[in-house]
Amino acid sequence: MKIVKHYSDDFKREVVQHYLSSDDSMQKTADKFKLAVPASVGQWVSKFGGEFRTAVMNKSPEKPKTETPDTHEGMAKRIKELEEALERERLMNLATNKMIDIAERDLNISIRKKSGAKQSKK
């Protein structure tokens, strides 16, 4: 008789977040969270992975103001806005690189352009 474990959506999201934010493979992630079937991680990434992409990548940055603030408070607010925009861009870059790394590793395809003169044509 087959025993089926049911996990909460919060637990699944935690697993997906760990998988996407680390360099662990599906197997390592499954081992860390004591999952019997590593393929569950892939299924959960398909189901919940978009939530993390949406939260990080689809958040539209605020348009920078062209006028320079004159007061100390205005400058501090502008610095905070710029720091938040920079952090969003860093997270977007991290998510994009992680997605490329996972695709290259799991799907065994080459995505990044190789540098140098000797590039094979396909």
Side-chain angles (χ1 to χ4, degrees):
M1 182 174 214
K2 188 174 172 182
I3 298 174
V4 178
K5 287 190 175 182
H6 294 282
Y7 299 99
S8 70
D9 285 350
D10 289 336
F11 176 77
K12 292 175 184 178
R13 285 182 179 96
E14 181 182 351
V15 172
V16 170
Q17 184 174 15
H18 171 79
Y19 177 72
L20 293 177
S21 64
S22 72
D23 286 331
D24 290 352
S25 65
M26 285 187 198
Q27 181 65 50
K28 279 187 178 180
T29 302
D31 292 344
K32 178 178 174 127
F33 288 94
K34 296 178 177 55
L35 302 174
V37 182
S40 298
V41 176
Q43 292 170 348
W44 297 346
V45 167
S46 297
K47 184 175 181 182
F48 297 106
E51 293 177 14
F52 297 100
R53 187 189 76 237
T54 302
V56 173
M57 296 177 75
N58 291 343
K59 185 173 183 181
S60 59
E62 297 175 11
K63 299 292 180 192
K65 299 175 183 174
T66 55
E67 61 187 66
T68 307
D70 294 335
T71 64
H72 179 70
E73 292 83 15
M75 288 182 195
K77 183 179 177 186
R78 179 71 177 136
I79 290 171
K80 186 172 183 345
E81 289 173 359
L82 291 172
E83 287 174 343
E84 289 172 357
L86 177 62
E87 184 61 24
R88 277 194 303 273
E89 291 301 319
R90 283 183 182 153
L91 289 172
M92 188 180 319
N93 187 29
L94 177 69
T96 302
N97 284 326
K98 184 65 175 179
M99 191 168 40
I100 291 171
D101 292 342
I102 291 170
E104 286 182 336
R105 183 189 69 219
D106 293 351
L107 303 176
N108 205 19
I109 58 175
S110 178
I111 296 174
R112 289 191 174 94
K113 183 177 179 180
K114 306 299 184 244
S115 63
K118 294 184 179 180
Q119 296 181 14
S120 62
K121 294 183 179 180
K122 290 187 176 187

